[in-house]
Amino acid sequence: MNNQTEIPGFTLRLRPFRDETLFSWCSRYHRISANGRDAATCMQLFGDRRIGTAHDLPARLDALVTRSGGAIGDAVSIIQQRTLLPFYLPFRSPRLAALAHEAMRGPSIGSLKYQLGLLTSGLGAAHPLKSCPRCIAVDQERHGWAYWHRDHQLPGTWICTSHQVHLRISPCKLDQRARFAWVLPSPTAESNSTAISLNVNDLESTRWLIKLAAMGAELVQFERGTLNDPVRLGLALRRRLIDLNLASPSGRIRWRDIEPSLDLLSKRQLTLPEMQHLADKELLKGQLLRALSGRSVTHPLRWLLWCSVWFKDLQALKVSYDESAPTEEVQSAPVTTPTTITHGPNAWQATVLSEACAGVISMSRAAQQAGVTYSTFTAWASAQGTEAPHRPQKLTPERREAIVTRLQLGHEKCQLATGLGLSIETITRVLRTTPGLQEQWHHSRFDLRRAAARSDWLGLRQGEDGLTAKAARRVAPATYAWLYRNDRQWLEDSGQACNVASRGNHATQRLTNAQHRRSRAVEQLRDRLEGLSGRQAHGT
């Protein structure tokens, strides 16, 4: 047997416990197998010395299923029941969910945490190991093992819903010492760091933490893509605020009435270690505006916060979300361009918009009926391919045509406003209310940015210095990052071309050097001959 980690004919009979994570199951196998080194266990289970030890989003699951003989189930069931990925997928598209499954089943998760939005969410991408001291005692008495519960590891979960006891953080996986170790919860190993930020005598905060933990456990049971439309999420939240009389019937927020809720939520954020730095009422106000406007969801925990304050549970949000879907009647309404309405109007506003685009009522009257400003309504009409009549004040038709032409060429809005002596709001209004202009402008801006990035990168790789890819990345990290995210195929192709050129035999340079040597030799010979002739003339 060439590889001592290969055990032919051996079948694992270690079954997972209820709500046990994959990392916990592997840690128990490590104890039973009596492997002296963590790398040996990882090699036996995953076929790699390190990849597979992640306790939140592990990789090489297909290899695990094959090498363990399916002792813990297939790869899909492992992801769904034993990892933290299902916490994020309800707010993500089915396509991204499929890519995430593929990454975890493959050799490495790569940039999965970035694609899920964890690195840019402001909440961090780490998932500290957490345990309940009472669950440890019960599990040891019932099973003979203490194991990691998945519900305890979810973001925003800092209290055990079964025993209403605050969870304790394990120091493992938080430093480099135990980064690749297989560990199990211990009654003495975990710290009481969460108790520092939480007043155990505050019953209201405890009840809120229990509700937040229950909603997290409810979220992992949702199907992928269940809540992936941020526009419908914003409409569902606005409808709930209207029901609570925190917004007018037209949807306008009543900030004076809603500020007490934001103040209470900012205080409760102090009990969440991952959100303590965001415990500010003004920050929450901005986040609420982004949620209502249909911005993309950066982290599911943010929506769990809104649900914990204004919804009974997560199912109530889903019901409101489903009711916010445009009806078939609205979708088949006559519009100039058959584009699905996905950028703001609800079902009633979409009906009014259809009538305005068909010319049944004026834009001004339609905006009043929809309860929005004229500029907002004309922007909706522009998205449907209908250009609203202009009401020029400072903006004459000639100047408007000049603005449209320059925007089509990709000019910056700020520079355009300065050059024409207009406000940037005027430029933005033209951009939003001219059908198809915004898409053309974005395409032109992208083409200009791509051309500049390619030129800068080639200047570093193929210039006089001829930097390597690693050196060029250090000189221009922003250029490399943009090309990697937006023009990766060209970046790889250009890198291969530069590498091929650098691996040549330098024939051109050798010819140049030979010419220089011959020139220097001729000059030296000429100087020597002139010296000899001078001495002969002096002797005569």
Side-chain angles (χ1 to χ4, degrees), residues 508-522:
T508 303
Q509 186 62 39
R510 290 206 307 272
L511 288 175
T512 303
N513 294 340
Q515 291 175 357
H516 289 320
R517 288 194 300 270
R518 285 194 294 268
S519 298
R520 287 196 299 269
V522 170

Side-chain angles (χ1 to χ4, degrees), residues 229-280:
D229 189 345
V231 175
R232 289 169 61 184
L233 281 172
L235 294 176
L237 180 56
R238 191 181 295 273
R239 175 179 297 180
R240 180 57 178 167
L241 295 179
I242 294 174
D243 294 340
L244 296 175
N245 204 27
L246 297 176
S248 65
S250 63
R252 192 176 300 274
I253 303 300
R254 294 170 176 164
W255 292 108
R256 181 175 299 179
D257 298 331
I258 210 172
E259 281 185 356
S261 299
L262 297 180
D263 186 55
L264 176 61
L265 187 57
S266 66
K267 294 178 180 178
R268 288 180 173 175
Q269 276 185 299
L270 294 173
T271 64
L272 300 176
E274 61 262 65
M275 303 195 76
Q276 289 177 352
H277 63 292
L278 301 174
D280 181 79

